[in-house]
Amino acid sequence: MDCRLLNEKSLVFAHADPHAVSDYVNQHVGSHRILLPRNGHPEASLSHRTFGSLDLCQISYGSRVQVTSPALETLYHLQVLLRGHCLWRGRGEEHYFTPGELLLINPDDPVDLTYSDDCEKFIVKLPAAFIDKACSENQWRHSGEGVRFAPRHRLEELDGFLGLIGLICQEAEAEQSTPLVQEHFAKIIASKLLGLPGSNVSREPLGSACPSFERLVEFIDNNLKQDISLEQLAELAHMSARSLYALFDKHAGTTPKHYIRQRKLEIIHARLSDPRAPVRNVTEVALDYGFLHLGRFSECYKSTFGELPSDTLRRRN
């Protein structure tokens, strides 16, 4: 599998000091440190392109090197081994990656890799926010901790993936490449990764799985007198806060917090309007639904219904 995906147009370093290459990688691809043998004068090479929300990088250090990082924090790394081998240590395991295998590093995973002398990798850097957005746009779900991938995969699990990477590299180096085209390709990459086995992503449509938006609405309506937090809703929906916002924006055209407040106002309006509902005064019912600042409550109520809550109560009597 000895191939070059990025050509000379993307070459940044050739026959270079590995530390200079490492410094560049720290700025553009991900925070790390390298440990080289004391003897020898290895020559590193690096090609790099920014492509929409992605960064594409082909790298070799020309020597046995250990690469470590406490975590990538806000990034995912997809690493395709092209030549040589790479020892990965993590989660109490270790594995020698060989050509044809993929390593997926989650944002909070510690990095401990040892490259062979002839190791060459192709790395795709994906921002965590981009993966999360792709998951939400596909109407898929994951746990509140964010998308997590299993580390070890083979290329055949992603049918046609290497060809797709080659096409993306050509597009990245094309003079007429447009941002819209780049983002479309980037979304395809993200969607393919989200379909890999061993992740915490559920690909069942939100509308056919529990809890859907309707179940969240039911939970809100049943707990309007409680202090409903975004964390509660995200945990119930098995999604991140970002995906929760996207879900409410799609189905309700507003934020979760505003939706909850609006539902409270609607229930209060119904109670104040209904002669059969036991209401002693506006203050009591406002406090009952968690509106502690009565002046602000009255303003919100009037803005929504065109009159003060006291007017609504007075009219029903």
Side-chain angles (χ1 to χ4, degrees):
M1 201 179 141
D2 192 355
C3 63
R4 183 153 199 91
L5 296 168
L6 292 171
N7 66 30
E8 296 299 319
K9 291 182 179 179
S10 304
L11 188 64
V12 181
F13 291 97
H15 310 296
D17 178 358
H19 290 288
V21 172
S22 176
D23 288 343
Y24 183 92
V25 170
N26 270 315
Q27 294 179 45
H28 300 279
V29 185
S31 177
H32 73 291
R33 64 185 298 270
I34 62 171
L35 182 63
L36 293 162
R38 294 183 178 179
N39 300 322
H41 300 282
E43 296 181 338
S45 66
L46 174 79
S47 297
H48 172 249
R49 280 275 172 171
T50 297
F51 186 76
S53 297
L54 311 179
D55 276 87
L56 313 173
C57 173
Q58 191 156 336
I59 186 170
S60 64
Y61 279 108
S63 170
R64 178 183 174 86
V65 59
Q66 184 179 18
V67 179
T68 58
S69 174
L72 297 173
E73 296 184 347
T74 61
L75 305 172
Y76 292 88
H77 267 198
L78 164 66
Q79 302 193 358
V80 183
L81 201 67
L82 302 177
R83 290 190 299 117
H85 65 261
C86 174
L87 173 62
W88 164 82
R89 298 182 182 89
R91 306 178 185 180
E93 307 175 53
E94 62 178 43
H95 176 74
Y96 276 96
F97 281 82
T98 56
E101 290 188 289
L102 308 176
L103 170 62
L104 264 167
I105 303 175
N106 298 301
D108 57 347
D109 287 344
V111 178
D112 187 348
L113 306 170
T114 302
Y115 292 19
S116 64
D117 290 353
D118 58 344
C119 180
E120 184 173 23
K121 282 184 174 182
F122 186 84
I123 299 173
V124 181
K125 182 187 84 174
L126 305 98
F130 183 76
I131 288 288
D132 197 54
K133 182 181 178 183
C135 190
S136 176
E137 287 178 347
N138 281 296
Q139 297 286 297
W140 298 334
R141 304 191 319 278
H142 59 79
S143 65
E145 68 178 354
V147 176
R148 289 195 61 82
F149 295 102
R152 294 163 51 186
H153 302 274
R154 293 203 59 83
L155 268 174
E156 54 259 33
E157 293 176 15
L158 288 167
D159 191 31
F161 189 71
L162 192 61
L164 175 61
I165 290 293
L167 183 61
I168 285 175
C169 288
Q170 291 180 31
E171 185 66 29
E173 294 175 329
E175 294 181 5
Q176 302 300 322
S177 182
T178 66
L180 182 61
V181 170
Q182 292 178 10
E183 282 305 297
H184 279 312
F185 273 116
K187 287 179 180 180
I188 294 172
I189 290 285
S191 295
K192 272 191 165 288
L193 294 183
L194 289 166
L196 279 170
S199 75
N200 64 347
V201 175
S202 170
R203 300 182 68 179
E204 298 178 14
L206 283 170
S208 63
C210 176
S212 64
F213 179 73
E214 290 73 21
R215 288 295 302 274
L216 290 177
V217 167
E218 181 182 359
F219 174 82
I220 290 169
D221 282 348
N222 290 337
N223 295 274
L224 278 176
K225 292 185 178 182
Q226 310 302 319
D227 184 16
I228 302 172
S229 69
L230 296 181
E231 289 75 17
Q232 279 180 291
L233 295 179
E235 184 176 355
L236 181 63
H238 302 292
M239 61 177 57
S240 68
R242 186 184 296 273
S243 296
L244 184 71
Y245 272 93
L247 183 66
F248 272 82
D249 182 59
K250 178 176 181 179
H251 291 278
T254 188
T255 65
K257 184 177 180 180
H258 186 270
Y259 179 87
I260 294 169
R261 185 181 67 181
Q262 192 65 24
R263 286 296 296 141
K264 288 184 177 185
L265 288 172
E266 289 170 359
I267 295 299
I268 292 172
H269 180 261
R271 286 190 59 184
L272 294 177
S273 303
D274 186 356
R276 297 166 296 178
V279 177
R280 290 193 299 177
N281 55 61
V282 171
T283 298
E284 181 182 64
V285 71
L287 292 175
D288 204 23
Y289 284 90
F291 289 99
L292 304 181
H293 193 293
L294 298 178
R296 191 172 301 137
F297 161 71
S298 293
E299 290 176 7
C300 291
Y301 187 97
K302 184 174 182 180
S303 175
T304 303
F305 302 108
E307 64 180 7
L308 292 171
S310 56
D311 295 334
T312 306
L313 182 60
R314 187 181 308 113
R315 194 173 62 254
R316 84 160 188 176
N317 294 328

